[in-house]
Amino acid sequence: SREKAGNLRIEVGALERAHGGTLYLSEVATLPLPAQAALLRTLVENKFNRVGGAVAVPIDVRIVSSSSQNVAQLIEEGQFRSDLFHRLSIVPLHLSPLKERREDVPPLVQMFLEQICRMHNLRTLSVGEDAVAVLQAQDWPGNARQLRNSIERLLILVKDQAPPDGIITAALLPSDIGEVLPTVGDT
């Protein structure tokens, strides 16, 4: 949000909007070192300066962060601050990759189907047992994000072909369903 103060325009950022609540920082290990230093200072002092601001803004915010990278190795390589790691690691959780939790695939698939159908105003579809078995057999190197993207892609591809009962069978799954597809610039 934006507020005007005299002739200055004040931008309210994520930290300020999260005041009194929780802010999730995905892939925190990708923050550049200067941003890591600023985040650490904010966590230590419970206040921050807006970009271009002269007055410190007090905040009360819980930070939840995640990384798919090996943060210990990044610390050894000087790419991630150990003091920030220790400040963020109050309650560390390790989540095994999806390929080690294949039993989680069916409920995730159903949840993603419902979310995506609702988001795109599609009739609710479900995945048949044969298709679920195919999805469980995949390694999903991109974990739940890759699975969700694959379900969204599947819905785009089959929305006009889905049978009247709304059950997507293995025959409707693309042959590359669990593969990491190249993105723009990966050629």
Side-chain angles (χ1 to χ4, degrees):
S1 26
R2 295 179 181 163
E3 299 174 21
K4 285 223 170 191
N7 290 333
L8 297 175
R9 190 172 76 195
I10 299 170
E11 297 282 338
V12 177
L15 274 171
E16 209 165 344
R17 285 192 310 267
H19 178 71
T22 303
L23 178 64
Y24 173 57
L25 300 175
S26 177
E27 294 301 337
V28 71
T30 62
L31 283 174
L33 287 171
Q36 291 177 35
L39 177 58
L40 177 62
R41 189 170 37 261
T42 297
L43 295 175
V44 169
E45 298 174 359
N46 291 322
K47 58 186 174 183
F48 72 98
N49 286 350
R50 290 186 186 107
V51 175
V55 178
V57 177
I59 57 163
D60 174 21
V61 65
R62 174 186 303 118
I63 303 288
V64 175
S65 60
S66 67
S67 179
S68 60
Q69 298 183 45
N70 182 335
V71 179
Q73 181 179 345
L74 292 175
I75 290 170
E76 282 182 27
E77 296 169 356
Q79 307 257 336
F80 196 82
R81 295 180 60 118
S82 64
D83 47 358
L84 177 58
F85 172 77
H86 293 297
R87 181 66 66 166
L88 292 172
S89 296
I90 295 169
V91 181
L93 300 173
H94 173 77
L95 187 60
S96 300
L98 198 50
K99 69 180 179 183
E100 295 175 15
R101 300 178 291 116
R102 295 185 194 276
E103 69 279 2
D104 289 350
V105 171
L108 286 171
V109 167
Q110 191 57 44
M111 179 185 71
F112 293 148
L113 272 172
E114 290 169 7
Q115 285 177 350
I116 296 164
C117 286
R118 192 172 42 251
M119 183 177 16
H120 295 292
N121 202 23
L122 301 171
R123 72 181 172 123
T124 303
L125 302 172
S126 60
V127 176
E129 288 182 27
D130 61 337
V132 168
V134 170
L135 295 171
Q136 280 184 294
Q138 306 303 312
D139 281 343
W140 302 111
N143 292 302
R145 287 183 184 136
Q146 181 190 8
L147 176 60
R148 188 201 181 284
N149 290 345
S150 294
I151 297 301
E152 186 165 15
R153 177 173 164 247
L154 172 65
L155 287 174
I156 290 167
L157 295 174
V158 304
K159 70 179 181 178
D160 297 326
Q161 304 170 35
D165 64 4
I167 298 174
I168 299 169
T169 63
L172 292 173
L173 297 177
S175 60
D176 60 358
I177 191 73
E179 295 177 22
V180 177
L181 299 175
T183 58
V184 176
D186 283 352
T187 56

